[in-house]
Amino acid sequence: MVLGLLATVAVASGLAGMLVGPAALPGAGPVDATVDSGFRYANAFWFAAGAVAWWAVPRVERATAPLRLVLGAVILGGIARLLAALASGWPHPVYLGALAVELVLVPLVLVWQAEVAQAARRAAG
């Protein structure tokens, strides 16, 4: 359920980011065309990460490599978000919640998936 919820959030927010642009951000102000372009581009990856996670839900015990790649990228994004906060100041509280998900919950999901995959391998003999 947690993986499905994370996937849903990524797909929905990635789609909103691609279609609406930075105006979808809580507390967003005006941005120039370069920031708009970069934001929409990055949200395509967020959308795709969610789609891969959705794909993995029914096969979570076998989808180790795709999940590690996608969830690892989310953790890397969390590290980048933390660096941005340290360099530019703390973002809107919604993004502090996202930071917690990226740097705490997602690593826990990775550990859980590894345990599920290992249990499935043991059961298969």
Side-chain angles (χ1 to χ4, degrees):
M1 282 190 50
V2 171
L3 183 58
L5 180 61
L6 288 173
T8 300
V9 168
V11 166
S13 64
L15 187 59
M18 287 187 299
L19 297 176
V20 179
L25 295 169
V31 297
D32 64 23
T34 301
V35 172
D36 186 15
S37 175
F39 180 82
R40 290 176 196 252
Y41 181 85
N43 271 277
F45 288 97
W46 188 231
F47 176 86
V52 170
W54 261 349
W55 168 85
V57 169
R59 56 188 64 75
V60 70
E61 72 283 354
R62 299 182 315 274
T64 301
L67 277 174
R68 285 184 180 167
L69 180 64
V70 165
L71 297 178
V74 172
I75 294 166
L76 187 60
I79 293 168
R81 190 187 306 275
L82 180 60
L83 290 173
L86 296 173
S88 303
W90 295 101
H92 189 278
V94 167
Y95 291 94
L96 295 178
L99 184 63
V101 168
E102 294 154 357
L103 297 182
V104 177
L105 181 60
V106 171
L108 291 174
V109 171
L110 272 174
V111 170
W112 165 79
Q113 190 280 331
E115 291 176 8
V116 168
Q118 186 176 23
R121 283 191 301 274
R122 280 194 306 266

